[in-house]
Amino acid sequence: MASRSTQILEAAARVIARRGVRGLRVEELAAEAGVSTALIYYHFKDRTGVLRRTLEFINDRAERYTTALDPAAPPPTPREELERALLLEIQDEAEVRENSAAWGELRASAVFEEALREDLARATLVWVQEIAALLGAVEPMASAPALAASAERLTALLEGLSTRWLGGAIRTGHARELIRGAVAAELAGLRQG
């Protein structure tokens, strides 16, 4: 059984994905999680604490489903590992859709919720650095600034495609094709130096 704080964070991700950050009310979160509002305040201090910890929770959850490997499968090549890390952000799984929607809502809310900006900037920087490292494993002769710029473009593209995918403007397969094409273009650009 999940801990109470995990139970609350799972509920917060669901509520944020459905209603957005502005729609997150502690009373409704308590009802969704099946706990008292006092317990939420005990674990998270305030609404901002809930939002910050929910951001960490969805990042951890994304890390889990984008890095899990089949132990029986051969190790992926660096290119396969790079594509996999990006492509697994767009898959027809309820948890992935919820995570993507919650991330998008938290990102959009940073316009109004100044307290989230630093946390979102930090989480984005970590993600960009992870993708830059994967790009560097594929193209080890590329410069660090070129790898960082390429990773920035890929993660920004993925966020935009995710929004279109979640909103039904593009299908899963098409979004994944666009990501593969962007990876190929970025790697070609890195090779050309």
Side-chain angles (χ1 to χ4, degrees):
M1 181 173 195
S3 73
R4 290 289 187 174
S5 61
T6 300
Q7 184 179 345
I8 294 166
L9 291 169
E10 288 170 345
R14 281 193 305 274
V15 171
I16 291 169
R18 280 195 318 256
R19 296 176 158 241
V21 171
R22 288 185 152 187
L24 179 69
R25 303 286 179 262
V26 173
E27 297 77 21
E28 291 176 29
L29 174 57
E32 179 79 21
V35 300
S36 68
T37 56
L39 190 61
I40 291 174
Y41 288 115
Y42 172 78
H43 283 290
F44 304 100
K45 306 288 185 247
D46 56 19
R47 183 175 179 277
T48 300
V50 171
L51 294 174
R52 284 184 165 150
R53 292 276 303 281
T54 303
L55 176 62
E56 290 173 21
F57 174 78
I58 64 173
N59 280 331
D60 291 345
R61 200 161 61 169
E63 180 79 18
R64 188 179 69 248
Y65 64 69
T66 59
T67 60
L69 294 174
D70 177 1
T77 66
R79 168 90 181 245
E80 290 169 339
E81 191 174 357
L82 168 66
E83 285 188 354
R84 186 180 194 300
L86 296 168
L87 292 172
L88 288 179
E89 294 284 356
I90 303 218
Q91 53 180 317
D92 288 321
E93 298 290 330
E95 182 179 67
V96 175
R97 285 185 170 278
E98 181 181 280
N99 240 38
S100 294
W103 173 264
E105 291 294 334
L106 285 161
R107 163 90 50 221
S109 73
V111 172
F112 306 103
E113 302 267 349
E114 193 171 331
L116 289 177
R117 289 181 191 162
E118 187 176 320
D119 294 329
L120 280 160
R122 188 175 17 266
T124 301
L125 178 61
V126 168
W127 186 29
V128 169
Q129 290 171 338
E130 288 169 355
I131 298 302
L134 292 171
L135 285 162
V138 179
E139 292 298 332
M141 299 306 290
S143 70
L147 292 169
S150 181
E152 188 82 39
R153 285 188 294 272
L154 286 171
T155 55
L157 173 70
L158 182 55
E159 283 184 331
L161 287 174
S162 178
T163 300
R164 290 182 182 188
W165 164 66
L166 289 168
I170 59 174
R171 295 184 183 271
T172 303
H174 184 61
R176 292 169 67 97
E177 287 173 27
L178 291 171
I179 292 166
R180 283 189 188 96
V183 167
E186 289 296 336
L187 290 173
L190 288 170
R191 277 190 295 277
Q192 293 174 353

